[in-house]
Amino acid sequence: MKTDLDALLTALYVHLDDHVMPSRGRPRGRGRPPVLSPAEAVVVAVAQVLLRCDDERRWMRMAAGRIGHLFPRLPSQSQYNRQLRDLGPAMSAAAAWLARQVPTWHEPLRLMDGTPIRCGASRVTVNRSHLGEIAGYGMDKSHHAFYWGAKLMLITTADGAVTGFSLAHPKELDERKQALHLLHVHQIAGGPCPIVCDKGFAGAGIEKAAADLGHLLIRPAREDEPARALPFPGWLRQRIEAIIWTLKNQLGLERHNARHPDGLWARISQRILALNAAIWHNWNTDAPVKRSLTAYDH
């Protein structure tokens, strides 16, 4: 399994350095240059997620033994943490680039759902946290519980590659408005396509706005409305639930430990990039079975 991880990280670095964040011709700033180039730092961040190490301090202690043969020079924990926060936009751009490289990008089908990102559980955390500008109190209807955090909206392909995502305050922007904003600012597919979602996206306003963009929302009928003409593919709803579970549990998004908005965005982008990189690598290597990410953590 170590060989598989080495191949993924090497291929990812080559493509990022060639197409997304090239190091050649980059202007040099003042002071001592960082130990890792942006592309190298992004690959180290992906390795951290795939090896299931949620804490940066612990990761810097074990990284030399796990990926030291690929990166002989590694930064200190504080340097890595600062660079990781600064690379949030670059990692989200890299995740979007990888999503366009998989064959399912061209399939006319997308899945959409939102999930809460918990940022604190105590009143002291709520009062002292720097996440107040993006986090607030919301209702997690799936678990019938209130939470303090942000709302993550995801749009994915059928095989799990994330083609668009956004983060919003749960009180200031409801689920439907957040979805419409995401559809307006992100190119989620090569062209108009049907989007499978749940009952939370019901409403004539959002369906018309999505139709104006060329997208057809497919959702189950609510109890207070007649059965819809289009049959609802319930198995696809289970698929995006599995994608969310992979991000939050298997890839550690539920344990993000972020304390600042830029750090939260960076850690979300880091997990989504790792997910897209694993799917992209499976397609590139023509893996007969699209294995789960547990194959890389041994």
Side-chain angles (χ1 to χ4, degrees), residues 148-162:
W148 188 80
K151 191 65 174 288
L152 176 64
M153 186 67 58
L154 294 168
I155 299 179
T156 75
T157 63
D159 65 350
V162 178

Side-chain angles (χ1 to χ4, degrees), residues 114-129:
T115 185
I117 303 296
R118 291 172 174 82
C119 299
S122 70
R123 187 65 185 174
V124 174
T125 302
V126 171
N127 291 334
R128 295 183 178 180
S129 176

Side-chain angles (χ1 to χ4, degrees), residues 272-295:
I272 290 175
L273 174 57
L275 176 65
N276 285 4
I279 295 171
W280 167 79
H281 182 66
N282 279 334
W283 280 110
N284 274 355
T285 57
D286 197 22
V289 178
K290 300 300 183 285
R291 301 169 302 175
S292 67
L293 295 173
T294 52

Side-chain angles (χ1 to χ4, degrees), residues 8 32 47 86 94 118 144 148 160 183 188 195 200 202 209 238 298:
L8 186 156
R32 182 179 299 177
D86 294 340
R118 291 172 174 82
H144 306 285
W148 188 80
L183 292 174
I188 63 164
I195 303 174
Q238 294 299 318
H298 298 292

Side-chain angles (χ1 to χ4, degrees), residues 179-247:
L180 282 179
H181 178 264
L182 182 59
L183 292 174
H184 274 95
V185 302
H186 279 275
Q187 184 185 5
I188 63 164
C193 64
I195 303 174
V196 176
C197 53
D198 63 14
K199 296 178 184 179
F201 298 94
I206 184 174
E207 292 184 5
K208 181 181 184 304
D212 291 341
L213 296 173
H215 304 300
L216 172 66
L217 297 185
I218 302 176
R219 60 170 179 84
R222 297 182 306 188
E223 295 179 359
D224 60 347
E225 64 181 355
R228 296 168 69 86
L230 292 174
F232 181 73
W235 62 276
L236 280 175
R237 282 287 308 136
Q238 294 299 318
R239 180 165 293 188
I240 193 167
E241 292 291 343
I243 296 167
I244 291 174
W245 185 91
T246 298
L247 280 171

Side-chain angles (χ1 to χ4, degrees), residues 99-174:
R100 286 166 170 76
Q101 308 310 309
V102 299
T104 48
W105 167 262
H106 303 285
E107 292 181 355
L109 176 67
R110 292 294 181 266
L111 314 178
M112 180 170 65
D113 201 4
T115 185
I117 303 296
R118 291 172 174 82
C119 299
S122 70
R123 187 65 185 174
V124 174
T125 302
V126 171
N127 291 334
R128 295 183 178 180
S129 176
H130 295 280
L131 289 166
E133 62 186 69
I134 190 65
Y137 286 103
M139 177 64 180
D140 184 358
K141 295 181 180 179
S142 299
H143 299 90
H144 306 285
F146 288 97
Y147 69 94
W148 188 80
K151 191 65 174 288
L152 176 64
M153 186 67 58
L154 294 168
I155 299 179
T156 75
T157 63
D159 65 350
V162 178
T163 61
F165 65 99
S166 69
L167 199 63
H169 192 290
K171 286 288 185 67
E172 295 179 358
L173 203 64
D174 67 29

